[in-house]
Amino acid sequence: MTSQTTGTAPTAERRAHPLVRIEGLHKFFGDHHVLRGIDLTVNRGEVCVVVGPSGSGKSTVLRCVNQLETISAGRIFIGDELIGYREHGGRLHDLTPRQIAAQRREVGMVFQRFNLFPHMTALQNVIEAPVQVKGVKKGDAVKRAHELLDRVGLAERAGHYPSQLSGGQQQRVAIARALAMEPELMLFDEPTSALDPELVGDVLEVMKDLARSGMTMMVVTHEMGFAREVGDTLVFMDQGAVVESGHPREVLGNPKNPRTQEFLSKVL
Ligand SMILES: Nc1ncnc2c1ncn2[C@@H]1O[C@H](COP(=O)(O)OP(=O)(O)OP(=O)(O)O)[C@@H](O)[C@H]1O
Ligand SMILES: [Mg+2]
């Protein structure tokens, strides 16, 4: 399929192919029932924007998808693969750490805090995982890293250390670093909310470019302009449940649930 790179495949064709399927996901932290039966599908090449009040469980959903948390009940599939488990004889068996690591390599994640390695240049940050984890030859990784830094508008900053870069530049390096592993899914958890307002735009532009290139993305953000422009679905969560979801224009323009209405009246 060329749709991943060209982004020109007919939408209907993509719609037929879910990449992420979350079914009946529950998560407890101790007695605290944080996710209460989440069902969510993200089709290949689509952008799913997740919004909701603080504590509603948005980050936890992304962290479950990326196996930074174990799940308490339910299933998550990426493509045809069950995440974290193997089904055999009607039972679920834990995957080995090695199998989990292999699944996690298919998913890139970008956090609110950029978490770059401070003692490495932008370039070194981007080549680290491909070389150390995937065994990519250093020369190939460097070539690719330059392409990726160029793509996020930082071709001139390859030799800079994180402390020499603005927050927005660091976040763009973090995006390039995630892309260097060639993930089939990218997760963003409030990637712009720690940034000074004037730095938000450049990061959003990189994310929009990525969305238009056909990357499948789940994005937790309060940037409703982003949702409207490139979102295929807007999911509103409250108290560990999906309260409302639909096309961003629909949900933003005509929210049906009172809780969605109340939330949007505060952020729009
Ligand atoms: N590791 C943890 N241990 C215990 N409770 C946790 C843990 N992580 C999250 N929680 C709780 O789970 C609930 C959902 O948290 P989560 O971080 O997913 O919310 P969120 O929607 O991302 O909020 P925010 O908008 O503030 O980032 C919160 O009540 C939080 O306190
Ligand atoms: Mg969060």
Side-chain angles (χ1 to χ4, degrees):
M1 281 285 292
T2 53
S3 63
Q4 283 298 96
T5 48
T6 65
T8 54
T11 310
E13 189 182 317
R14 287 198 215 140
R15 287 243 154 83
H17 297 94
L19 179 63
V20 184
R21 273 186 298 144
I22 302 176
E23 298 177 356
L25 173 62
H26 288 260
K27 175 66 182 175
F28 286 85
F29 287 110
D31 293 340
H32 190 182
H33 197 177
V34 167
L35 298 180
R36 300 165 172 257
I38 303 279
D39 294 300
L40 191 61
T41 299
V42 186
N43 292 314
R44 280 182 202 275
E46 292 195 351
V47 176
C48 172
V49 177
V50 182
V51 302
S54 181
S56 56
K58 307 176 298 292
S59 295
T60 306
V61 169
L62 294 193
R63 292 171 61 82
C64 287
V65 171
N66 199 22
Q67 303 191 63
L68 294 170
E69 304 288 354
T70 57
I71 68 180
S72 307
R75 283 167 199 219
I76 301 175
F77 294 88
I78 298 183
D80 295 327
E81 267 194 62
L82 184 60
I83 287 304
Y85 302 93
R86 179 174 56 87
E87 196 158 14
H88 186 69
R91 288 181 170 215
L92 295 182
H93 304 268
D94 289 343
L95 293 183
T96 63
R98 179 191 280 261
Q99 289 168 322
I100 288 174
Q103 285 186 335
R104 293 195 62 222
R105 284 204 281 281
E106 299 300 320
V107 181
M109 188 155 178
V110 174
F111 301 87
Q112 185 172 344
R113 299 261 158 219
F114 340 111
N115 306 323
L116 295 176
F117 301 117
H119 60 292
M120 292 184 184
T121 63
L123 185 89
Q124 287 166 340
N125 266 281
V126 177
I127 67 170
E128 177 69 9
V131 171
Q132 299 300 335
V133 180
K134 261 191 167 175
V136 175
K137 283 205 208 94
K138 180 133 184 237
D140 295 341
V142 168
K143 184 164 172 286
R144 178 80 183 123
H146 280 296
E147 290 166 7
L148 287 167
L149 288 171
D150 186 33
R151 185 172 177 186
V152 301
L154 295 173
E156 312 300 317
R157 304 291 159 116
H160 285 57
Y161 288 89
S163 60
Q164 301 170 315
L165 299 170
S166 74
Q169 290 169 337
Q170 290 183 56
Q171 191 60 302
R172 286 183 280 148
V173 174
I175 294 171
R177 182 176 62 171
L179 292 176
M181 290 296 277
E182 303 189 318
E184 58 177 349
L185 171 68
M186 283 285 284
L187 309 176
F188 292 86
D189 192 356
E190 301 206 34
T192 59
S193 49
L195 300 177
D196 291 338
E198 73 273 20
L199 302 178
V200 168
D202 287 341
V203 174
L204 289 178
E205 272 316 308
V206 166
M207 292 170 62
K208 286 178 198 170
D209 173 64
L210 195 56
R212 292 188 192 110
S213 78
M215 177 61 79
T216 311
M217 298 163 58
M218 294 181 74
V219 183
V220 175
T221 184
H222 298 298
E223 297 289 338
M224 297 303 159
F226 173 86
R228 211 179 263 120
E229 212 172 309
V230 296
D232 294 285
T233 325
L234 184 69
V235 172
F236 173 69
M237 285 183 64
D238 194 19
Q239 297 177 19
V242 172
V243 171
E244 185 163 354
S245 70
H247 194 278
R249 271 195 302 275
E250 281 283 303
V251 178
L252 293 173
N254 185 21
K256 299 207 165 46
N257 189 289
R259 283 190 276 168
T260 320
Q261 291 167 359
E262 192 199 338
F263 175 78
L264 290 178
S265 73
K266 287 183 194 147
V267 298
L268 282 178

